[in-house]
Amino acid sequence: MNPAFIYRHRMTDEVVVVDIEKAKELEASGPYWKLIHSINAVEVLNYIVKLTPQQRNLYIKSLTEKP
């Protein structure tokens, strides 16, 4: 499994995708970063490349929106 973690900055709304080591750093850095999703990076990329551009945009948006 190739885990990736999607975080959103609570003040700036910046979205980042990080590996497990960087995720640990963000978790330890205080309350500024909020975990939005954890994903299997290879499976998600495989899924995304098979989508139409419109479907791809909708899927990416769903991954980065606040729950």
Side-chain angles (χ1 to χ4, degrees), residues 2 7 10 12 19 26 30 42 46 50 56 62 65-66:
N2 298 298
Y7 282 85
R10 293 179 190 268
T12 65
D19 63 12
L26 293 179
V42 172
N46 188 39
K50 295 177 181 178
R56 188 178 306 129
S62 77
E65 287 181 341
K66 296 177 184 174

Side-chain angles (χ1 to χ4, degrees), residues 1-3 5 13-14 16-17 28-29 31 37 39 41 46 48 53-54 63-65 67:
M1 185 167 155
N2 298 298
F5 302 88
D13 280 339
E14 175 187 6
V16 295
V17 180
S29 71
H37 288 285
I39 59 172
N46 188 39
I48 287 173
Q54 183 180 16
L63 289 175
T64 60
E65 287 181 341

